Amino acid sequence: MNSTELRAALDQALTFAVYVLGNRTDALDVVRFAVDSIPVNAEQVTREVLLRLVRDTIARRGTRARPVEETLPAVWSGEETRNLPPDLEDDPARTAALAGALRRVCFTAVLRSIAETPRCAFVLRHVLGLPDETVSQILRTNSGNLATLRARARLPLERRLGPHCEHFDPGNPCNCRGRLGLALAEGSLRETDVEPATDPAPTCTGELERLYRTLPKYTLTDEEAEPLLALLRQPAPRKPV
């Protein structure tokens, strides 16, 4: 792969790790470890190889399923709501960005409530949009087992979001605008959470796969990417004569 393709593959690996692990710091550490473990030069590295190494690193470290109640502040899932502060009422663009961050944190927390391997399968297929054949290669499984993994992921997602989330069903009681005022008031949503700042509002009633495809992709900064690209560009060691 050339440098542009390598950079894109690294960004995809970061996105995968963020949505499986739940936070960018741990995800970046896993991507760095995966890149450092590649024993060949960049010409032999593929996107699938990099994603498989990230997945294997996650599996070795272990990332247990965590109940949503452990990862979301209580006010995000209760019945209370609060109006937006006046400055946000007058700033629809900023409100949309903050609501996108709220959505991303919430959807990621729900993902974390799923067992690790089904979670990986769901993220690879429905957040990254990879074809089933590629996902099977990354997870080292067959198509029949992959279908089972995806079903195991879908059921708890539907149970959690189906009766609550406005994006799953506009008639549901939980809406981002009402939660946003609470999250800002109690400090559980910070300015630093708004990245990327333009999450699209989902319009895919009842379709979990499309709902999760609206989640934004993460990208490495130049400062983060350069050391990883330098490692990948290293020539393969010469064989002894």
Side-chain angles (χ1 to χ4, degrees):
M1 289 193 290
N2 60 37
S3 293
T4 301
E5 292 169 331
L6 283 172
R7 179 65 182 267
L10 287 169
D11 287 341
Q12 196 168 52
L14 178 67
T15 298
F16 171 46
V18 169
Y19 285 118
V20 171
L21 297 173
N23 69 84
R24 196 181 190 282
T25 301
D26 290 345
L28 182 57
D29 184 52
V30 162
V31 172
R32 285 169 171 159
F33 187 90
V35 169
D36 196 47
S37 69
I38 294 174
V40 295
N41 65 336
E43 291 180 359
Q44 297 168 289
V45 175
T46 65
R47 175 189 64 175
E48 289 75 16
V49 166
L50 184 56
L51 287 170
R52 187 185 302 137
L53 286 168
V54 168
R55 191 273 176 274
D56 291 347
T57 303
I58 290 171
R60 283 195 298 271
R61 296 187 178 192
T63 170
R64 68 178 180 86
R66 297 181 61 187
V68 176
E69 293 75 18
E70 286 187 14
T71 54
L72 276 184
V75 296
W76 288 35
S77 54
E79 296 182 0
E80 184 183 356
T81 60
R82 181 175 297 190
N83 291 332
L84 293 175
D87 60 319
L88 277 182
E89 288 281 8
D90 298 330
D91 190 347
R94 186 64 183 162
T95 299
L98 284 164
L102 188 80
R103 227 169 16 246
R104 183 168 60 252
V105 174
C106 181
F107 288 175
T108 304
V110 177
L111 274 174
R112 287 293 312 279
S113 69
I114 302 169
E116 180 189 293
T117 303
R119 191 190 326 155
C120 287
F122 192 90
V123 171
L124 289 167
R125 182 68 182 91
H126 298 304
V127 176
L128 296 186
L130 301 180
D132 284 347
E133 182 180 357
T134 301
V135 177
S136 295
Q137 292 172 358
I138 293 168
L139 297 181
R140 295 185 176 91
T141 191
N142 57 50
S143 57
N145 192 47
L146 180 59
T148 300
L149 290 173
R150 286 167 56 186
R152 286 175 56 196
R154 185 183 177 88
L155 186 59
L157 290 175
E158 285 185 333
R159 285 175 175 169
R160 180 68 192 184
L161 297 175
H164 300 290
C165 178
E166 66 168 327
H167 302 298
F168 192 88
D169 181 344
N172 280 336
C174 188
N175 64 82
C176 292
R177 190 177 181 86
R179 301 293 182 199
L180 183 54
L182 281 173
L184 292 171
E186 61 123 24
S188 55
L189 186 70
R190 304 175 303 276
E191 294 294 309
T192 53
D193 291 318
V194 188
E195 188 243 349
T198 53
D199 294 14
T203 54
C204 36
T205 302
E207 298 181 53
L208 276 173
E209 290 82 0
R210 290 181 62 198
L211 188 64
Y212 273 89
R213 279 203 300 274
T214 67
L215 289 170
K217 307 305 183 282
Y218 285 83
T219 57
L220 295 158
T221 65
D222 290 341
E223 185 179 4
E224 292 166 343
E226 281 307 317
L228 300 176
L229 289 170
L231 281 172
L232 290 170
R233 294 187 192 113
Q234 287 181 357
R238 293 182 179 180
K239 294 181 180 179
V241 179

